[in-house]
Amino acid sequence: MKNNGTSNFTLKHGNATTEGLTTPCSGPLPNGYSPMRLDPSILLGTGGDNSPYGIGKFFEGAVTSGYPSDATENAVQAAITAAGYSSSGGGGVQQNVEIVGGRSGKCVEVPNSSTSNGTRAIIWDCNGQTNQQWNVNADGTITGVHSGLCLD
């Protein structure tokens, strides 16, 4: 989603496995929304109830400065596609993978090397320890190398 705050609102979406973006909506701001006043926010996922059974979606994206051009948006989509996500779950297994935040540079880890079901993963400084190592399985699940715990 992007808007210039004075006249235009555009919504685009894409698939992480294919290049190209779809634009279902682009046009003038709705009546009463000019100029637009927004509080800044970032949404990276939806759903889930913090239980081991919670289901949600994670969104890949980027934060840009100002009103991005179509070329910038297409470059972000191309970078996401190049990451090689798979929706089929039919790839090979990737073992001993660190999950690292792009901007923070911090890793997803199991605190205190816990092996207890229901343990929540945390974000921490990368240190190469086994509690920060994950296997990406052929069915798309992610399990801890040391803990055997599954990331939901």
Side-chain angles (χ1 to χ4, degrees), residues 125-140:
D125 293 332
C126 297
N127 57 31
Q129 300 297 314
T130 57
N131 64 332
Q132 293 182 347
Q133 301 293 311
W134 302 90
N135 291 330
V136 181
N137 304 305
D139 65 359

PDB file of all heavy atoms in Angstrom, residues 125-140:
ATOM      1  N   ASP A 125      21.058 -11.527  19.837  1.00  0.00           N
ATOM      2  CA  ASP A 125      22.292 -11.354  19.084  1.00  0.00           C
ATOM      3  C   ASP A 125      22.751 -12.695  18.526  1.00  0.00           C
ATOM      4  O   ASP A 125      22.758 -13.707  19.246  1.00  0.00           O
ATOM      5  CB  ASP A 125      23.402 -10.779  19.981  1.00  0.00           C
ATOM      6  CG  ASP A 125      23.111  -9.357  20.423  1.00  0.00           C
ATOM      7  OD1 ASP A 125      22.417  -8.633  19.686  1.00  0.00           O
ATOM      8  OD2 ASP A 125      23.580  -8.972  21.509  1.00  0.00           O
ATOM      9  N   CYS A 126      23.153 -12.702  17.267  1.00  0.00           N
ATOM     10  CA  CYS A 126      23.637 -13.939  16.647  1.00  0.00           C
ATOM     11  C   CYS A 126      24.948 -14.354  17.301  1.00  0.00           C
ATOM     12  O   CYS A 126      25.846 -13.534  17.497  1.00  0.00           O
ATOM     13  CB  CYS A 126      23.845 -13.733  15.147  1.00  0.00           C
ATOM     14  SG  CYS A 126      22.331 -13.356  14.255  1.00  0.00           S
ATOM     15  N   ASN A 127      25.046 -15.645  17.645  1.00  0.00           N
ATOM     16  CA  ASN A 127      26.265 -16.126  18.292  1.00  0.00           C
ATOM     17  C   ASN A 127      26.716 -17.489  17.769  1.00  0.00           C
ATOM     18  O   ASN A 127      27.682 -18.046  18.250  1.00  0.00           O
ATOM     19  CB  ASN A 127      26.078 -16.185  19.816  1.00  0.00           C
ATOM     20  CG  ASN A 127      24.902 -17.049  20.234  1.00  0.00           C
ATOM     21  OD1 ASN A 127      24.563 -18.026  19.563  1.00  0.00           O
ATOM     22  ND2 ASN A 127      24.274 -16.694  21.343  1.00  0.00           N
ATOM     23  N   GLY A 128      25.991 -18.045  16.787  1.00  0.00           N
ATOM     24  CA  GLY A 128      26.403 -19.299  16.187  1.00  0.00           C
ATOM     25  C   GLY A 128      26.112 -20.537  17.015  1.00  0.00           C
ATOM     26  O   GLY A 128      26.476 -21.646  16.633  1.00  0.00           O
ATOM     27  N   GLN A 129      25.479 -20.382  18.177  1.00  0.00           N
ATOM     28  CA  GLN A 129      25.174 -21.526  19.030  1.00  0.00           C
ATOM     29  C   GLN A 129      24.057 -22.375  18.409  1.00  0.00           C
ATOM     30  O   GLN A 129      23.284 -21.908  17.576  1.00  0.00           O
ATOM     31  CB  GLN A 129      24.762 -21.044  20.425  1.00  0.00           C
ATOM     32  CG  GLN A 129      25.832 -20.236  21.140  1.00  0.00           C
ATOM     33  CD  GLN A 129      27.088 -21.056  21.397  1.00  0.00           C
ATOM     34  OE1 GLN A 129      27.019 -22.191  21.855  1.00  0.00           O
ATOM     35  NE2 GLN A 129      28.237 -20.482  21.088  1.00  0.00           N
ATOM     36  N   THR A 130      23.950 -23.619  18.858  1.00  0.00           N
ATOM     37  CA  THR A 130      22.962 -24.531  18.273  1.00  0.00           C
ATOM     38  C   THR A 130      21.529 -24.111  18.554  1.00  0.00           C
ATOM     39  O   THR A 130      20.635 -24.497  17.811  1.00  0.00           O
ATOM     40  CB  THR A 130      23.168 -25.978  18.773  1.00  0.00           C
ATOM     41  OG1 THR A 130      23.102 -25.995  20.197  1.00  0.00           O
ATOM     42  CG2 THR A 130      24.490 -26.532  18.287  1.00  0.00           C
ATOM     43  N   ASN A 131      21.291 -23.309  19.599  1.00  0.00           N
ATOM     44  CA  ASN A 131      19.919 -22.866  19.860  1.00  0.00           C
ATOM     45  C   ASN A 131      19.470 -21.788  18.866  1.00  0.00           C
ATOM     46  O   ASN A 131      18.343 -21.336  18.907  1.00  0.00           O
ATOM     47  CB  ASN A 131      19.730 -22.401  21.299  1.00  0.00           C
ATOM     48  CG  ASN A 131      20.543 -21.176  21.658  1.00  0.00           C
ATOM     49  OD1 ASN A 131      21.602 -20.929  21.081  1.00  0.00           O
ATOM     50  ND2 ASN A 131      20.072 -20.420  22.624  1.00  0.00           N
ATOM     51  N   GLN A 132      20.366 -21.397  17.933  1.00  0.00           N
ATOM     52  CA  GLN A 132      20.020 -20.473  16.864  1.00  0.00           C
ATOM     53  C   GLN A 132      20.081 -21.168  15.499  1.00  0.00           C
ATOM     54  O   GLN A 132      20.044 -20.517  14.465  1.00  0.00           O
ATOM     55  CB  GLN A 132      20.961 -19.268  16.869  1.00  0.00           C
ATOM     56  CG  GLN A 132      20.798 -18.388  18.076  1.00  0.00           C
ATOM     57  CD  GLN A 132      21.702 -17.172  18.038  1.00  0.00           C
ATOM     58  OE1 GLN A 132      22.627 -17.066  17.239  1.00  0.00           O
ATOM     59  NE2 GLN A 132      21.437 -16.231  18.930  1.00  0.00           N
ATOM     60  N   GLN A 133      20.157 -22.474  15.498  1.00  0.00           N
ATOM     61  CA  GLN A 133      20.248 -23.238  14.256  1.00  0.00           C
ATOM     62  C   GLN A 133      18.914 -23.920  13.978  1.00  0.00           C
ATOM     63  O   GLN A 133      18.329 -24.531  14.880  1.00  0.00           O
ATOM     64  CB  GLN A 133      21.363 -24.281  14.337  1.00  0.00           C
ATOM     65  CG  GLN A 133      22.735 -23.697  14.606  1.00  0.00           C
ATOM     66  CD  GLN A 133      23.233 -22.850  13.461  1.00  0.00           C
ATOM     67  OE1 GLN A 133      23.197 -23.253  12.305  1.00  0.00           O
ATOM     68  NE2 GLN A 133      23.702 -21.651  13.771  1.00  0.00           N
ATOM     69  N   TRP A 134      18.447 -23.857  12.744  1.00  0.00           N
ATOM     70  CA  TRP A 134      17.131 -24.374  12.362  1.00  0.00           C
ATOM     71  C   TRP A 134      17.242 -25.224  11.106  1.00  0.00           C
ATOM     72  O   TRP A 134      18.109 -25.005  10.271  1.00  0.00           O
ATOM     73  CB  TRP A 134      16.184 -23.193  12.098  1.00  0.00           C
ATOM     74  CG  TRP A 134      16.067 -22.297  13.283  1.00  0.00           C
ATOM     75  CD1 TRP A 134      16.851 -21.212  13.575  1.00  0.00           C
ATOM     76  CD2 TRP A 134      15.167 -22.441  14.374  1.00  0.00           C
ATOM     77  NE1 TRP A 134      16.482 -20.673  14.774  1.00  0.00           N
ATOM     78  CE2 TRP A 134      15.437 -21.394  15.287  1.00  0.00           C
ATOM     79  CE3 TRP A 134      14.135 -23.332  14.665  1.00  0.00           C
ATOM     80  CZ2 TRP A 134      14.724 -21.227  16.464  1.00  0.00           C
ATOM     81  CZ3 TRP A 134      13.426 -23.154  15.834  1.00  0.00           C
ATOM     82  CH2 TRP A 134      13.722 -22.124  16.724  1.00  0.00           C
ATOM     83  N   ASN A 135      16.360 -26.203  10.992  1.00  0.00           N
ATOM     84  CA  ASN A 135      16.228 -26.995   9.771  1.00  0.00           C
ATOM     85  C   ASN A 135      14.940 -26.587   9.073  1.00  0.00           C
ATOM     86  O   ASN A 135      13.880 -26.523   9.702  1.00  0.00           O
ATOM     87  CB  ASN A 135      16.167 -28.495  10.085  1.00  0.00           C
ATOM     88  CG  ASN A 135      17.484 -29.028  10.607  1.00  0.00           C
ATOM     89  OD1 ASN A 135      18.543 -28.537  10.261  1.00  0.00           O
ATOM     90  ND2 ASN A 135      17.412 -30.043  11.450  1.00  0.00           N
ATOM     91  N   VAL A 136      15.032 -26.281   7.785  1.00  0.00           N
ATOM     92  CA  VAL A 136      13.848 -26.006   6.969  1.00  0.00           C
ATOM     93  C   VAL A 136      13.539 -27.314   6.249  1.00  0.00           C
ATOM     94  O   VAL A 136      14.299 -27.758   5.393  1.00  0.00           O
ATOM     95  CB  VAL A 136      14.107 -24.864   5.970  1.00  0.00           C
ATOM     96  CG1 VAL A 136      12.855 -24.589   5.148  1.00  0.00           C
ATOM     97  CG2 VAL A 136      14.558 -23.611   6.708  1.00  0.00           C
ATOM     98  N   ASN A 137      12.436 -27.941   6.629  1.00  0.00           N
ATOM     99  CA  ASN A 137      12.087 -29.266   6.137  1.00  0.00           C
ATOM    100  C   ASN A 137      11.347 -29.208   4.800  1.00  0.00           C
ATOM    101  O   ASN A 137      10.798 -28.176   4.427  1.00  0.00           O
ATOM    102  CB  ASN A 137      11.235 -29.981   7.184  1.00  0.00           C
ATOM    103  CG  ASN A 137      11.952 -30.028   8.524  1.00  0.00           C
ATOM    104  OD1 ASN A 137      13.078 -30.496   8.620  1.00  0.00           O
ATOM    105  ND2 ASN A 137      11.315 -29.502   9.555  1.00  0.00           N
ATOM    106  N   ALA A 138      11.328 -30.318   4.086  1.00  0.00           N
ATOM    107  CA  ALA A 138      10.699 -30.389   2.769  1.00  0.00           C
ATOM    108  C   ALA A 138       9.224 -30.022   2.810  1.00  0.00           C
ATOM    109  O   ALA A 138       8.678 -29.506   1.840  1.00  0.00           O
ATOM    110  CB  ALA A 138      10.879 -31.791   2.177  1.00  0.00           C
ATOM    111  N   ASP A 139       8.549 -30.258   3.945  1.00  0.00           N
ATOM    112  CA  ASP A 139       7.119 -29.928   4.038  1.00  0.00           C
ATOM    113  C   ASP A 139       6.878 -28.476   4.436  1.00  0.00           C
ATOM    114  O   ASP A 139       5.752 -28.054   4.648  1.00  0.00           O
ATOM    115  CB  ASP A 139       6.406 -30.870   5.000  1.00  0.00           C
ATOM    116  CG  ASP A 139       6.882 -30.737   6.448  1.00  0.00           C
ATOM    117  OD1 ASP A 139       7.799 -29.920   6.707  1.00  0.00           O
ATOM    118  OD2 ASP A 139       6.338 -31.443   7.302  1.00  0.00           O
ATOM    119  N   GLY A 140       7.963 -27.683   4.547  1.00  0.00           N
ATOM    120  CA  GLY A 140       7.829 -26.271   4.874  1.00  0.00           C
ATOM    121  C   GLY A 140       7.920 -25.960   6.355  1.00  0.00           C
ATOM    122  O   GLY A 140       7.976 -24.802   6.737  1.00  0.00           O
TER     123      GLY A 140
END
